[in-house]
């Protein structure tokens, strides 16, 4: 206004959202909660010197994307063996852009990292979690998961889980054969290994043989070959 100082002017404001004027919105600022990704907002303002309104000026902005946020990451199980896969998930994920059907995308991913800082695998989230297969682990590894929230357009800040240490796996059971398959109380029976046990950690396997009669375990451990007369079937030492 050439005739007055700027502090003597008053202003009229209005806002348009995607081409439509927003009723009742005349403040200089639009709260963030009223906006959503992809919307086009136009700010229109004119000045009044008390005698006449000046021409209206406008400015336009398109609301951009906000990256999602992950507050905490869980890596399970807490004490895995080499036979167990690891599952990494975000416990508290949020995205202020959620609810926009055409734009709502989840593209989270994880990196599994060992104690030396080497990446074991980079994995996309499937059904809410990243999975590291058991065969990617080894006994003694300390593994962490770095979870990266993403909506396909922007990545949020990566969040690390607590480390879990991979522990020993028990060997798989062997296939056992009893020879002969039938006999009298005087017949010697031999418990033998038909198929060797496999240890997931590659350790050498040893065997301990126990004999049971009708489900009752005979203690102490007996040798691989016994006769039925040497066994009992209950705590009262009833003969087999």
């Amino acid at each position: 206004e050439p005739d007055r100082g700027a502090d003597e002017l008053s202003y009229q404001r209005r806002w348009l959202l995607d081409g439509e004027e927003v009723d009742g919105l005349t403040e200089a600022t639009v709260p963030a909660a009223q906006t959503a990704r992809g919307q086009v907002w136009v700010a229109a303002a004119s000045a009044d010197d008390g005698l006449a309104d000046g021409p209206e000026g406008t400015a336009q902005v398109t609301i951009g994307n906000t990256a999602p946020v992950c507050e905490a990451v869980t890596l399970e199980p807490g004490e895995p063996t080499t036979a167990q896969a690891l599952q990494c998930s975000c416990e508290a994920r949020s995205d202020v852009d959620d609810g926009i059907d055409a734009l709502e995308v989840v593209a989270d991913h994880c990196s599994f990292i060992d104690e030396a800082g080497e990446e074991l695998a980079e994995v996309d989230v499937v059904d809410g979690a990243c999975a590291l297969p058991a065969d990617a682990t080894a006994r003694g590894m300390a593994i962490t998961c770095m979870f990266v929230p993403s909506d396909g357009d922007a990545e949020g800040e990566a969040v690390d889980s607590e480390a879990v240490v991979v522990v020993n796996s028990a060997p798989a059971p062997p296939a056992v054969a009893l020879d002969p398959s039938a006999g009298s109380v005087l017949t010697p029976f031999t418990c033998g290994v038909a198929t060797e046990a496999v240890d997931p950690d590659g350790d050498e396997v040893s065997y301990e043989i126990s004999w049971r009669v009708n489900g009752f375990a005979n203690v102490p451990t007996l040798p691989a070959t016994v006769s039925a007369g040497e066994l009992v079937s209950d705590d009262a030492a009833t003969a087999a």
Side-chain angles (χ1 to χ4, degrees):
E1 165 58 55
D3 303 319
R4 300 173 183 271
D7 58 353
E8 299 180 66
L9 302 176
S10 61
Y11 297 92
Q12 292 76 46
R13 300 180 180 87
R14 62 194 186 98
W15 291 90
L16 291 84
L17 170 58
D18 294 334
E20 298 292 332
E21 186 169 349
V22 181
D23 291 338
L25 189 57
T26 59
E27 300 300 320
T29 302
V30 176
Q34 289 187 235
T35 68
R37 180 175 57 174
Q39 292 177 338
V40 178
W41 284 82
V42 175
S46 61
D48 180 5
D49 64 2
L51 300 174
D53 291 335
E56 189 174 63
T58 62
Q60 176 177 300
V61 64
T62 299
I63 305 301
N65 178 58
T66 301
V69 174
C70 177
E71 298 291 346
V73 176
T74 299
L75 184 57
E76 297 178 315
E79 195 173 80
T81 69
T82 51
Q84 293 177 297
L86 299 181
Q87 297 284 330
C88 178
S89 59
C90 178
E91 288 189 351
R93 185 188 188 280
S94 61
D95 189 339
V96 295
D97 299 318
D98 279 353
I100 307 171
D101 295 339
L103 300 172
E104 192 171 353
V105 176
V106 175
D108 301 339
H109 55 93
C110 308
S111 289
F112 292 94
I113 301 167
D114 68 13
E115 66 280 2
E118 296 293 328
E119 185 177 75
L120 302 173
E122 184 174 350
V123 185
D124 291 335
V125 167
V126 177
D127 295 331
C130 298
L132 181 69
D135 60 11
T137 71
R139 183 176 57 191
M141 275 185 172
I143 299 175
T144 58
C145 173
M146 182 177 70
F147 190 101
V148 181
S150 173
D151 59 15
D153 290 328
E155 292 187 346
E157 184 177 351
V159 182
D160 292 337
S161 72
E162 295 290 332
V164 298
V165 177
V166 181
V167 298
N168 180 67
S169 292
V176 177
L178 187 62
D179 184 41
S181 58
S184 71
V185 293
L186 300 178
T187 302
F189 290 92
T190 298
C191 176
V193 175
T195 302
E196 296 287 339
V198 176
D199 186 83
D201 304 314
D203 296 329
E204 184 178 345
V205 175
S206 61
Y207 299 99
E208 182 179 288
I209 295 172
S210 64
W211 291 90
R212 294 175 181 270
V213 177
N214 297 331
F216 179 77
N218 282 245
V219 178
T221 300
L222 297 171
T225 300
V226 298
S227 65
E230 299 176 68
L231 304 176
V232 295
S233 59
D234 54 33
D235 287 326
T238 303

